[in-house]
Amino acid sequence: MPIEILLVEDNPGDVQLTQIALEDSKISVNLNVARDGVEAMAFLRKEEQYKGMPTPDIILLDLNLPRKDGREVLAEIKEDRILRRIPVVVLTTSGSEEDVLRAYNLCANCYITKPVDFDQFVKIVHSIESFWFTVVKLPQE
């Protein structure tokens, strides 16, 4: 079965970079994309058009999102007794120490600042994939 990833990202370029990075994956991956925080929560709660969608094995979350920012999304995920088991990797352009601290205080599983270089971005995505899907033991629903 493929690994289910929910990418919460409003920047089309970053969505495309992530898709490209995952295309040459050694692991079978199914990438779903939510373009803002409201859409992400609807996806995770399987509301309306998201009924029947798979529960992600991991969430890649940008912080700076329209309608509901990533900090709010992270707080909602970690307050939910079922969703909080899903690992959340904050993948954002912000390297602010305040954002890092706040994300970890909200129980982010990992915080990564997006590199601007394409090759470095691909390496980051591959390292996320390698660590979370070959090294770490994740709970089965």
Side-chain angles (χ1 to χ4, degrees), residues 53-69:
M53 294 302 287
T55 299
D57 296 302
I58 193 168
I59 299 166
L60 304 179
L61 177 65
D62 188 20
L63 291 182
N64 302 310
L65 299 167
R67 299 203 302 161
K68 180 181 290 194
D69 85 355

Side-chain angles (χ1 to χ4, degrees), residues 82-126:
I82 295 170
L83 297 178
R84 71 174 146 223
R85 291 186 296 224
I86 302 170
V88 178
V89 174
V90 174
L91 184 60
T92 187
T93 55
S94 174
S96 154
E97 190 59 36
E98 180 181 330
D99 282 339
V100 173
L101 182 60
R102 186 166 177 204
Y104 281 114
N105 283 340
L106 292 170
C107 301
N109 297 90
C110 183
Y111 191 104
I112 300 171
T113 303
K114 290 180 199 171
V116 291
D117 177 72
F118 172 75
D119 291 332
Q120 284 300 107
F121 187 86
V122 170
K123 283 182 184 178
I124 292 291
V125 171
H126 287 167

